[in-house]
Amino acid sequence: MPHQDQDTSLRHRLGRTIRTPIGVTALTACLMVALVAVFGPVLFGDQAARIDTDAINQGSSAAHLLGTDQLGRDIAARVVVATRLTLRLTLLAAVIGVGGGLLLGVAPAVVGRRLGRLISATVGVLVAFPGLLFLLFLATIFGVGSTGAVFAVGLAMVPPMARLVQNLTASIAGSDYVAAARILGVGRFQLVVRHLLPNIAEPSVLFATQAAGSILVAFSGLSFLGLGVQPPEYDWGRLLNEQLNRIYVNPAAALAPGAAVVLTGLMFGLVGEVLAQAGGRRAPQAREATLQQQVKPQDATAPDGDDGALVRARDLRVTFPGGRQAVRGISLSIGVGEAVGLVGESGSGKSLTALALADLVPHPGRVFADTLRFDGQDLRADPRLGTELAMVFQDPMASLNPALRVGRQLAEVAEVHLGATRAQATARAVDRLGAVRIPSPERRARQRPHEYSGGMRQRAVIAMGLMGEPQLIIADEPTTALDVAVQQQVLDLLAEVREDSGAALLLISHDLAVVAQVCERVLVMYGGLIVEDLPVAQLTGCAAHPYTRALVGAVPTMATDPGIELATIPGRPPEPGEAGAGCPFAPRCERARERCHDDAPELAGFGPGRQVACWYPVDAVTAGAPDRATSHGAEATS
Ligand code: SF4
């Protein structure tokens, strides 16, 4: 993938946008309003306050451009002077609105699940409440005056801001790099500061800028109604209130503050438009949480048995509301240093099994297991695996925080888990980037993910896992997003890393060729169950389960006749909760018999180092295993 470092920084885009007509207009308007706010009261303050009983309620003239008010004060000067107070109160209200919105918006990600839901529901109710009524309600509560109006307008902005931030946060919270940070034990507050806020800053600023125009109008409206600024202070809304009854006598006197409100509101809108254009109207992409965690099926044990198994899961289930089970009571183990492949069609439960291991199953999913252990640690009691688990995600771009430099992201792992100083952590990050053969690691460490190619990003993700000393590397479709040449490089790198570190590998993939190249053992999942466990050497030609055979048959080889249509598996996999009492593969199995539809076969031994869940496995006799169809009582347990 080519580098994407051409003119993509916000600073560059902002500079380019400011040079457009709309950018020039917005910048000019901002400067003018700022100058008026700063120097207006200094230059015209006396004129605006001077009472002249000889010039009461005059119309436009050379001496008084917009005429005078009931006390003979110059209206033009008062409009100019009112700019500072109007902007100051508007910005104060905006700070309250943005600050409150940010707090409420990120709160569900920081507090517990129940309180988070309560906050989200409260925000939802407030957003549904008519905005104008809510504003008047708050204005009544806080009372008449500038301070009350500032709080009323600011707080009225909190719900929509909070809703925006919640939506943005939810999309970021589902990203791979946040999930990885959670697994690494990064605290909630640190998650918000380091990962969530930087990635929602841009759309939040855009929203706040554009909302400032609405705040200005709202605040002026309160002052116009007599609920905002009180005499002797005055803002544009107050001036409009004072002059409206003379609009037919001296229209300019009433229209001038109104025009100031409208033009300044437009200015805020233009600024927001410029920022939106500079930001490419982007919101952080909702990245699909395709985390890859280890998956463990029904008693798919390491070849040497359970003793010393690095990973051990028994009766692992992932359920969703309505009783839908996506993972249906699987058991498995992975030996120290073992490379295990987990294959199956989409929806087979591979990734959810992995998510369950890392306690990352998204709400409202729930995880149950009789046993869930990693290197002797009970993951049900403490799911944090720290640097003992390295994860390689499907989409390397989504695996790295786009707002942080790559070196900083790697260094954070060492700082959090190894207690390294910033300098030590940075040095290790550079060393690890070099270890995964990223050229010029010092320079690359200072770059952000978008400046890396796709293959380099995946190497950086692997390097992140190597910041500690992982005992298990989980790679979920690590090469799917890469082209063939880079795919091979990443696979070679994984093999090298495993060889050097002695780490076990759980490779989740739909590509049997990739699994066959890297792994020693293969677990085949279907319908939330493990249906076969066999050495990778026996995958081609010796698989016993009809589904495994069908998967293998659907993979083209160099010997495949291009003129012959590739084999496909008819039908579709069952949705969670859809599988009946019998074998989940029965509706698609050409070997299915009556018993298959009534009784579900369990995973059971099928020769040395092999297990299969099938009543009528292929080549059962020749493989030396019992024909389970004729020995039901002996083989029902795994
Ligand atoms: S149990 Fe029956 S339906 Fe299921 S895979 Fe075996 S032969 Fe096919």
Side-chain angles (χ1 to χ4, degrees), residues 163-178:
R163 171 51 58 88
L164 173 78
V165 173
Q166 281 180 358
N167 291 341
L168 294 171
T169 302
S171 68
I172 298 297
S175 62
D176 292 342
Y177 56 85
V178 172

Side-chain angles (χ1 to χ4, degrees), residues 293-386:
Q293 313 298 326
Q294 72 179 30
V295 182
K296 323 176 183 207
Q298 308 130 320
D299 263 355
T301 58
D304 55 352
D306 291 349
D307 291 342
L310 178 66
V311 177
R312 180 70 177 161
R314 188 180 294 278
D315 196 18
L316 177 65
R317 287 163 284 139
V318 179
T319 67
F320 288 88
R324 292 174 300 136
Q325 284 202 358
V327 177
R328 302 193 289 148
I330 63 174
S331 301
L332 80 153
S333 68
I334 299 175
V336 174
E338 188 183 16
V340 178
L342 187 59
V343 302
E345 293 171 283
S346 298
S348 60
K350 308 187 299 292
S351 290
L352 273 176
T353 303
L355 290 170
L357 177 69
D359 193 33
L360 282 176
V361 170
H363 177 77
R366 299 186 67 188
V367 178
F368 303 91
D370 286 350
T371 303
L372 195 57
R373 305 186 73 81
F374 180 91
D375 194 24
Q377 173 187 345
D378 189 347
L379 297 179
R380 296 172 305 171
D382 182 5
R384 290 178 299 177
L385 291 173

Side-chain angles (χ1 to χ4, degrees), residues 38-219:
V38 172
F39 295 108
V42 178
L43 298 176
F44 300 97
D46 291 342
Q47 187 179 349
R50 189 182 306 129
I51 297 174
D52 185 354
T53 52
D54 295 330
I56 291 174
N57 288 335
Q58 288 186 350
S60 299
S61 66
H64 303 288
L65 198 59
L66 299 176
T68 59
D69 64 7
Q70 301 89 322
L71 297 177
R73 295 171 296 198
D74 187 87
I75 292 175
R78 289 173 69 78
V79 171
V80 169
V81 171
T83 304
R84 180 186 290 182
L85 180 62
T86 304
L87 287 184
R88 194 175 75 209
L89 298 177
T90 297
L91 294 178
L92 274 175
V95 167
I96 292 174
V98 171
L102 280 174
L103 281 176
L104 277 184
V106 302
V110 178
V111 300
R113 180 171 290 184
R114 286 188 178 177
L115 184 55
R117 278 193 222 158
L118 178 63
I119 292 173
S120 297
T122 304
V123 168
V125 170
L126 292 177
V127 167
F129 203 76
L132 184 58
L133 285 180
F134 187 48
L135 172 60
L136 292 175
F137 172 72
L138 291 174
T140 306
I141 289 179
F142 287 107
V144 172
S146 303
T147 305
V150 165
F151 279 105
V153 174
L155 291 178
M157 183 189 171
V158 168
M161 182 74 191
R163 171 51 58 88
L164 173 78
V165 173
Q166 281 180 358
N167 291 341
L168 294 171
T169 302
S171 68
I172 298 297
S175 62
D176 292 342
Y177 56 85
V178 172
R182 287 170 56 196
I183 284 181
L184 289 169
V186 175
R188 288 175 173 174
F189 181 75
Q190 202 172 3
L191 265 182
V192 169
V193 173
R194 301 279 299 157
H195 295 284
L196 297 182
L197 288 182
N199 286 296
I200 66 171
E202 190 174 307
S204 298
V205 168
L206 299 185
F207 178 84
T209 307
Q210 293 176 328
S214 302
I215 289 177
L216 172 64
V217 173
F219 203 95

Side-chain angles (χ1 to χ4, degrees), residues 314-507:
R314 188 180 294 278
D315 196 18
L316 177 65
R317 287 163 284 139
V318 179
T319 67
F320 288 88
R324 292 174 300 136
Q325 284 202 358
V327 177
R328 302 193 289 148
I330 63 174
S331 301
L332 80 153
S333 68
I334 299 175
V336 174
E338 188 183 16
V340 178
L342 187 59
V343 302
E345 293 171 283
S346 298
S348 60
K350 308 187 299 292
S351 290
L352 273 176
T353 303
L355 290 170
L357 177 69
D359 193 33
L360 282 176
V361 170
H363 177 77
R366 299 186 67 188
V367 178
F368 303 91
D370 286 350
T371 303
L372 195 57
R373 305 186 73 81
F374 180 91
D375 194 24
Q377 173 187 345
D378 189 347
L379 297 179
R380 296 172 305 171
D382 182 5
R384 290 178 299 177
L385 291 173
T387 56
E388 295 173 341
L389 172 66
M391 300 192 304
V392 182
F393 301 103
Q394 179 174 355
D395 180 358
M397 188 62 191
S399 304
L400 296 165
N401 186 337
L404 295 181
R405 299 180 196 281
V406 173
R408 187 89 283 281
Q409 298 187 54
L410 268 63
E412 191 175 60
V413 178
E415 289 175 22
V416 171
H417 291 282
L418 306 179
T421 64
R422 191 180 180 96
Q424 290 170 334
T426 302
R428 183 165 178 80
V430 171
D431 177 70
R432 296 293 83 189
L433 287 174
V436 296
R437 296 202 301 273
I438 287 182
S440 307
E442 296 88 354
R443 180 173 63 86
R444 288 292 185 180
R446 293 192 294 272
Q447 294 181 326
R448 291 188 169 80
H450 72 269
E451 297 174 275
Y452 279 42
S453 67
M456 286 177 62
R457 286 188 208 115
Q458 199 60 292
R459 290 173 181 277
V461 172
I462 295 173
M464 184 183 290
L466 296 179
M467 287 299 289
E469 294 179 353
Q471 297 186 59
L472 174 66
I473 300 171
I474 296 176
D476 187 356
E477 307 278 5
T479 57
T480 300
L482 306 175
D483 60 49
V484 176
V486 179
Q487 170 179 315
Q488 189 58 49
Q489 291 173 11
V490 170
L491 291 177
D492 291 344
L493 178 61
L494 277 175
E496 283 176 27
V497 165
R498 205 167 70 80
E499 192 173 316
D500 292 343
S501 65
L505 172 68
L506 181 69
L507 177 64

